[in-house]
Amino acid sequence: MALHCGALCFKGMVVASYQLPSGSVKLSQTQPTIKASSFFCSFPQPLRLNVRGKAVAGDGTSETKESPLVVCFGEMLIDFVPTTSGLSLADASAFKKAPGGAPANVAVGISRLGGSSAFIGKVGEDEFGYMLADILKQNNVNNEGMRFDPGARTALAFVTLRSDGEREFMFYRNPSADMLLQVDELDLDLIRKVKPKFSFVAKIFHYGSISLITEPCKSAHIAAAKAAKDAGVVLSYDPNLRLPLWPSAENAREGILSIWETADIIKISEEEISFLTKGEDPYDDAVVRKLFHPDLKLLLVTEGADGCRYYTKEFSGRVQGFKVDAVDTTGAGDAFVAGILSQLAADLSLLQKEEQLRDALKFANACGALTVTERGAIPALPTKEAVLEAMLKPVS
């Protein structure tokens, strides 16, 4: 069972446009009930975690002076997940509609864990787009950077769940609204300075590689990352390889690596290491170190249920994962990223303190583990309380 996002099996992918009826109206979406299953474990040393509370402003954004803002950039979409695992898309009789998109998942995950987050991206001016904006607001994610495109639809992805909980994707984006975000639509104030109304200071700017595939979103991505870098914001990168969305494997490799050396923090899976190194052994530390550029502060390698590895200039090691029964691995890697970024946003000095960093990574591993016990991405993201309960309750 793989706990976090990795190289996936894609079969029978269809790319098509998806048209909704005209005259879209804004919907009020009720947030699904989160039912995070518990598992039990014990640790010989006490955990030192940065978990802080926050106040919620009346318009749904989060107000706090203690938890700096993590700004997430990229795609937000609708995942349709079969209600029965182990069937092909053609054989599935019913699907559960679940909001998703890796950067949006991370933003919601951080907020659920008690942090402050914002999302910058574009959706269609349609029922699904308004629903996604409402879901961010209901989860206390600042959605001021969200834009609506009247000429393109919100992206859709049908996700097949194999019997082992792993996934296959079929995307509908030809083009989807997230691909059409333009530079002049960016709310750079979320990134480069304090927001006067809420006294937020951007601390981390997080993104993936899907926003690099096509223009104009590619230029918007590069402009937003440059604004963050110039403002002294830490850049966090999860390549999140989705090979069918790229013109070719080589194009994907070049695109992902084109911004590699600008990131301060990189999270990558074992399968993505093999892909980027053209088949080299992802378990070989010498191979992983080839991906460690001179300005990188932290490189994280997720290994599913086995946990993760971490690499800095000063130290490296492995943090054990959690064994759980996987129902759906969608969003597990994003939950892991949300877990570690929520800790780093509160205290970036963790990057220089190995024991404290290991505690934060245990927390992140638990976030990923809880997420795979439920279907969908955003609906399955755990709260801070669920994670701490799962980590601290002793074995009975």
Side-chain angles (χ1 to χ4, degrees):
M1 177 205 69
L3 199 70
H4 306 305
C5 295
L8 303 166
C9 177
F10 301 92
K11 298 179 181 177
M13 186 196 73
V14 176
V15 178
S17 60
Y18 184 87
Q19 297 296 322
L20 294 175
S22 59
S24 299
V25 295
K26 184 171 182 179
L27 299 181
S28 177
Q29 179 73 6
T30 301
Q31 178 63 17
T33 300
I34 303 305
K35 184 180 178 183
S37 302
S38 295
F39 56 94
F40 306 115
C41 57
S42 61
F43 295 100
Q45 299 295 329
L47 296 172
R48 297 173 292 275
L49 298 173
N50 294 297
V51 284
R52 303 180 180 184
K54 62 184 176 181
V56 179
D59 62 355
T61 55
S62 306
E63 183 172 4
T64 176
K65 293 183 179 180
E66 298 207 25
S67 185
L69 192 69
V70 179
V71 181
C72 300
F73 175 93
E75 69 278 2
M76 189 174 191
L77 48 84
I78 303 289
D79 288 327
F80 286 91
V81 184
T83 56
T84 303
S85 299
L87 298 176
S88 68
L89 290 177
D91 293 332
S93 60
F95 294 83
K96 175 184 177 181
K97 178 182 64 178
N105 294 343
V106 173
V108 172
I110 288 168
S111 181
R112 290 254 177 94
L113 295 171
S116 298
S117 61
F119 176 75
I120 294 177
K122 199 173 193 181
V123 294
E125 195 174 287
D126 53 37
E127 286 89 344
F128 285 148
Y130 287 125
M131 183 194 81
L132 292 175
D134 284 346
I135 286 172
L136 289 180
K137 186 174 181 180
Q138 291 159 14
N139 282 279
N140 301 318
V141 175
N142 186 316
N143 65 4
E144 294 176 18
M146 206 167 186
R147 300 293 178 261
F148 298 84
D149 195 308
R153 296 303 188 188
T154 301
L156 307 179
F158 285 82
V159 187
T160 301
L161 302 178
R162 302 201 309 252
S163 57
D164 61 0
E166 284 298 326
R167 303 159 296 158
E168 300 169 0
F169 290 89
M170 183 171 73
F171 296 97
Y172 284 69
R173 54 196 310 265
N174 191 35
S176 53
D178 61 287
M179 303 163 66
L180 302 177
L181 181 66
Q182 301 182 47
V183 173
D184 60 8
E185 294 178 304
L186 294 172
D187 184 354
L188 296 179
D189 285 350
L190 280 172
I191 301 171
R192 63 190 177 195
K193 70 176 185 181
V194 174
K195 294 293 288 183
K197 182 178 179 182
F198 300 109
S199 299
F200 285 157
V201 179
K203 196 71 166 286
I204 297 174
F205 181 70
H206 176 72
Y207 49 88
S209 68
I210 291 175
S211 49
L212 295 170
I213 297 174
T214 59
E215 292 288 2
C217 189
K218 178 179 178 179
S219 292
H221 176 129
I222 293 170
K226 183 179 185 302
K229 197 77 169 180
D230 291 346
V233 177
V234 171
L235 270 57
S236 167
Y237 184 24
D238 177 2
N240 193 35
L241 177 65
R242 295 289 180 265
L243 199 53
L245 296 179
W246 292 85
S248 68
E250 189 56 35
N251 186 270
R253 192 176 291 109
E254 291 177 359
I256 289 171
L257 293 175
S258 68
I259 60 169
W260 196 262
E261 295 194 0
T262 64
D264 299 296
I265 300 167
I266 297 175
K267 173 263 178 189
I268 192 169
S269 70
E270 300 158 286
E271 294 86 353
E272 288 164 343
I273 293 173
S274 294
F275 175 76
L276 293 176
T277 60
K278 299 184 178 181
E280 294 191 53
D281 183 2
Y283 298 99
D284 186 340
D285 280 356
V287 171
V288 177
R289 284 288 182 182
K290 292 179 182 179
L291 296 172
F292 198 99
H293 67 76
D295 296 323
L296 191 60
K297 295 180 174 65
L298 177 63
L299 176 62
L300 296 170
V301 180
T302 52
E303 299 181 335
D306 293 328
C308 66
R309 283 175 279 163
Y310 58 91
Y311 300 82
T312 73
K313 291 179 181 178
E314 291 78 26
F315 50 78
S316 63
R318 182 189 300 271
V319 177
Q320 185 178 357
F322 299 89
K323 306 293 183 182
V324 295
D325 294 327
V327 174
D328 177 12
T329 59
T330 304
D334 303 326
F336 172 89
V337 172
I340 189 59
L341 293 187
S342 69
Q343 298 298 299
L344 291 174
D347 185 5
L348 282 172
S349 73
L350 295 178
L351 294 170
Q352 289 82 43
K353 301 173 182 177
E354 185 171 9
E355 286 306 310
Q356 287 89 335
L357 178 63
R358 289 179 61 85
D359 286 337
L361 289 172
K362 289 176 185 176
F363 182 83
N365 283 342
C367 292
L370 283 177
T371 301
V372 307
T373 63
E374 301 290 336
R375 295 186 188 276
I378 286 177
L381 294 170
T383 63
K384 172 190 65 178
E385 292 77 15
V387 176
L388 292 179
E389 179 185 356
M391 296 179 72
L392 300 177
K393 191 166 185 177
V395 175
S396 57

